[in-house]
């Protein structure tokens, strides 16, 4: 009987931990435990109405410890267990790569984010061993000390560090007192230092010529003129709803958010006719919106920023090796030449009509890796030329896919 009671009690505790885990994963308040329990009881009364052991089932549900205090305790225990396993895994690694970033939270407290990438028995892993608040200044020395203390408190040998990635700020990369130079002095071997590749891409995405920047400034001015005034904003939203537009509002530009520029431009373009109609009703004149030259620059900016957004998203995510990220960057660099060429011509259709020869097209089918795409005529086949050129650049630049193609080609020729 005692054994049965112990097993039953264990099951109740396991169920309590399972509910606590779901509450924590969804970021819900601990007090939701009681709400979940009430829902569970109410639903079970109907689900198990015809069960002979309904009373026993209901008793177990009612015995579930799901108070706010119980949820808090179980969440803390699971968190401690996860941290313990994480630290043990990092300690066993022979080499570590760090990513360090410093920024302020909503309460203006400086926080240092410390990511560690390493190779475990299950393969490459990325973990967050610490989110470190800085109480004083945010100089390189303070950041270095916080990182070193976090690693030492967890029993992680700093001499296992072989590379460090930062956001390129002076406090991070300063020659004498930056984080990378300070860590280098504390580690008894040389380390590789990198400026975050995604951050560099985001900085490049903000660089446009003066004439293109003027286009963006006008768009921001028009958006602000509509959204800044409560009456105009309300009327514009009503107008979009009245004409059954696919969108209910415009987007505000935020320089801090990397994808904001492209998303704002795309939404503005899709709502351009509605915006012009609304501005005409309010007698707000922006003749540029009707000028072909301005619209050409606008469309070029949309295309470029959306491609930059695609690249940014491709660079994000776990498990991407640095070499693969570099290949994406090199490939996009080649595509930029295509974007510029396309903008300077009268359009894709006219350019491709004059372009390629049948001989080159046949040569492409046999060996696409060594074929000049500017000499291919593919329009009779109903294939989008721009998309094909992008894919060929991917295939040609990335060693993995070009190797796969060569291997397959050799097998077919045998």
């Amino acid at each position: 009987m005692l054994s049965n009671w112990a097993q039953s009690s264990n099951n109740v505790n396991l169920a309590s931990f399972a509910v606590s885990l779901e509450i924590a994963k969804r970021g819900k308040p601990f007090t939701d435990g009681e709400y979940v329990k009430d829902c569970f009881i109410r639903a079970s009364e109907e689900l198990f109405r015809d069960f002979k052991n309904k009373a026993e089932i209901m008793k177990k549900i009612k015995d579930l410890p799901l108070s706010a205090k119980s949820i808090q305790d179980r969440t803390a225990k699971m968190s401690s267990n996860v941290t313990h396993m994480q630290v043990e895994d990092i300690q066993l690694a022979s080499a570590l790569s760090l990513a360090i970033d410093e920024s302020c939270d909503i309460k203006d407290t400086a926080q240092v984010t410390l990511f560690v990438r390493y190779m475990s028995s299950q393969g490459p892993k990325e973990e967050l061993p610490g989110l470190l608040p800085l109480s004083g200044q945010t100089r390189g020395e303070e950041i270095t000390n916080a990182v070193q203390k976090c690693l030492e408190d967890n029993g992680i040998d700093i001499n296992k560090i072989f590379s460090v990635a930062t956001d390129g700020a002076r406090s991070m990369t300063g020659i004498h007192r930056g984080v990378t130079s300070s860590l280098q002095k504390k580690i008894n071997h040389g380390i590789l230092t990198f400026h975050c590749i995604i951050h560099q891409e985001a900085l490049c995405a903000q660089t446009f010529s003066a004439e293109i920047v003027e286009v963006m400034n006008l768009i921001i001015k028009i958006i602000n003129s509509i959204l800044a005034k409560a009456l105009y904003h309300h009327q514009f939203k009503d107008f979009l709803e009245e004409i059954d537009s696919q969108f209910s509002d415009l987007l505000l530009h935020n320089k801090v958010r990397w994808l904001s520029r492209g998303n704002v431009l795309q939404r503005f373009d899709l709502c351009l006719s509605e915006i012009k109609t609304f501005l005409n009703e309010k007698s707000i004149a922006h003749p540029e919106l009707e000028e072909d030259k301005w619209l050409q620059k606008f469309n070029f900016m949309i295309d470029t920023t959306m491609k930059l957004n695609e690249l940014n998203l491709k660079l994000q995510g776990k498990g991407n090796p640095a070499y693969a990220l570099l290949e994406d960057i090199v490939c996009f660099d080649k595509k930029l030449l295509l974007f510029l060429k396309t903008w300077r011509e009268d359009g894709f259709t006219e350019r491709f009509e004059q372009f390629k020869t049948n001989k080159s097209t046949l040569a492409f089918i046999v060996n696409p890796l060594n074929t000049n795409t500017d000499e291919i005529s593919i329009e009779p086949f109903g294939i989008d030329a721009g998309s094909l050129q992008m894919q060929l650049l991917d295939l040609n630049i990335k060693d993995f896919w070009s190797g796969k193609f060569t291997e397959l080609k050799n097998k077919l020729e045998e």
Side-chain angles (χ1 to χ4, degrees):
M1 182 180 293
L2 184 61
S3 176
N4 291 337
W5 177 84
Q7 180 63 36
S8 175
S9 176
N10 186 50
N11 290 340
V12 169
N13 284 328
L14 289 175
S16 177
F17 271 100
V19 173
S20 301
L21 177 60
E22 294 304 316
I23 289 175
K25 284 166 63 177
R26 288 163 173 76
K28 299 297 182 182
F30 297 146
T31 51
D32 277 9
E34 291 288 357
Y35 167 71
V36 171
K37 184 176 180 178
D38 291 341
C39 293
F40 202 179
I41 292 173
R42 183 69 187 86
S44 298
E45 289 175 351
E46 303 300 329
L47 284 173
F48 306 114
R49 180 182 296 276
D50 300 327
F51 282 55
K52 294 180 179 180
N53 60 338
K54 177 184 175 183
E56 182 183 352
I57 295 173
M58 297 301 298
K59 183 179 183 305
K60 286 190 175 183
I61 295 174
K62 291 177 181 178
D63 288 343
L64 276 174
L66 294 178
S67 65
K69 182 67 167 61
S70 297
I71 299 295
Q72 180 184 4
D73 290 343
R74 280 152 176 71
T75 303
K77 287 179 180 178
M78 289 187 288
S79 174
S80 176
N81 180 256
V82 169
T83 301
H84 178 72
M85 291 190 297
Q86 177 194 76
V87 170
E88 277 192 340
D89 209 21
I90 296 174
Q91 289 173 343
L92 294 173
S94 59
L96 306 175
S97 177
L98 304 186
I100 305 171
D101 185 37
E102 180 272 320
S103 61
C104 290
D105 58 20
I106 58 175
K107 293 185 178 180
D108 288 331
T109 301
Q111 301 277 2
V112 176
T113 308
L114 175 62
F115 278 95
V116 176
R117 174 178 277 191
Y118 59 97
M119 185 66 70
S120 72
S121 57
Q122 289 81 35
K125 282 190 175 182
E126 294 178 20
E127 299 290 355
L128 176 68
L131 186 63
L132 318 172
L134 298 179
S135 56
Q137 294 179 298
T138 57
R139 297 176 303 185
E141 185 179 355
E142 283 76 18
I143 297 174
T144 304
N145 291 337
V147 170
Q148 183 179 4
K149 184 177 184 303
C150 175
L151 296 176
E152 290 178 347
D153 288 347
N154 289 308
I156 301 171
D157 185 5
I158 65 170
N159 287 309
K160 290 184 178 181
I161 299 171
F162 76 94
S163 76
V164 178
T166 68
D167 62 1
R170 180 167 294 183
S171 61
M172 294 289 183
T173 60
I175 298 176
H176 301 292
R177 297 183 180 179
V179 172
T180 53
S181 59
S182 298
L183 281 175
Q184 179 67 81
K185 294 173 185 176
K186 297 175 183 289
I187 299 172
N188 58 21
H189 60 82
I191 60 173
L192 300 172
T193 59
F194 299 97
H195 181 182
C196 172
I197 197 167
I198 305 179
H199 187 255
Q200 291 189 72
E201 187 276 341
L203 293 177
C204 291
Q206 299 175 12
T207 305
F208 282 95
S209 63
E211 58 180 334
I212 299 298
V213 171
E214 289 178 3
V215 173
M216 188 66 196
N217 290 340
L218 177 60
I219 292 169
I220 294 174
K221 179 180 178 181
I222 293 173
I223 293 174
N224 289 343
S225 70
I226 296 174
L227 302 187
K229 296 181 181 179
L231 178 60
Y232 280 12
H233 189 193
H234 175 70
Q235 290 175 340
F236 183 72
K237 292 176 68 175
D238 288 345
F239 172 63
L240 292 178
E241 183 178 356
E242 181 182 340
I243 63 174
D244 293 327
S245 173
Q246 60 177 318
F247 302 107
S248 60
D249 206 351
L250 296 175
L251 298 177
L252 281 171
H253 179 232
N254 187 335
K255 288 185 178 180
V256 178
R257 297 190 179 276
W258 292 343
L259 307 181
S260 175
R261 185 197 302 265
N263 294 335
V264 168
L265 288 169
Q266 187 179 46
R267 178 67 62 86
F268 189 91
D269 179 49
L270 295 173
C271 296
L272 184 57
S273 60
E274 291 90 340
I275 292 170
K276 290 193 290 187
T277 301
F278 183 80
L279 293 177
N280 288 334
E281 289 180 356
K282 299 299 179 183
S283 300
I284 301 175
H286 287 291
E288 297 90 344
L289 299 181
E290 303 292 344
E291 296 176 0
D292 289 340
K293 189 174 182 180
W294 187 92
L295 290 172
Q296 185 184 35
K297 296 175 184 177
F298 173 54
N299 290 325
F300 170 74
M301 195 174 190
I302 293 174
D303 292 341
T304 306
T305 52
M306 292 309 299
K307 291 297 180 182
L308 286 165
N309 281 5
E310 290 176 12
L311 175 62
N312 190 290
L313 292 172
K314 190 182 294 185
L315 297 175
Q316 296 181 34
K318 284 188 175 183
N320 292 328
Y323 184 70
L325 301 182
L326 179 60
E327 283 187 326
D328 287 329
I329 291 293
V330 172
C331 183
F332 187 80
D333 188 37
K334 301 291 184 182
K335 292 176 182 179
L336 282 177
L337 299 176
L338 177 64
F339 298 155
L340 292 173
K341 182 178 180 181
T342 302
W343 183 46
R344 288 167 184 162
E345 297 288 340
D346 293 333
F348 278 102
T349 304
E350 182 176 348
R351 178 160 62 93
F352 291 136
E353 284 178 352
Q354 306 171 351
F355 225 30
K356 326 289 180 190
T357 64
N358 291 330
K359 182 177 179 180
S360 297
T361 303
L362 295 173
F364 157 74
I365 297 172
V366 176
N367 194 355
L369 294 181
N370 296 326
T371 302
N372 184 350
T373 56
D374 287 341
E375 299 175 357
I376 304 172
S377 180
I378 59 170
E379 294 172 3
F381 301 99
I383 302 173
D384 179 69
S387 175
L388 177 63
Q389 288 178 314
M390 299 296 178
Q391 294 179 41
L392 281 176
L393 285 170
D394 284 329
L395 182 63
N396 205 16
I397 295 296
K398 297 185 178 180
D399 294 339
F400 175 81
W401 291 115
S402 59
K404 284 286 186 182
F405 174 83
T406 302
E407 180 182 350
L408 178 60
K409 181 173 178 288
N410 292 336
K411 286 183 178 180
L412 292 174
E413 289 177 347
E414 289 178 357

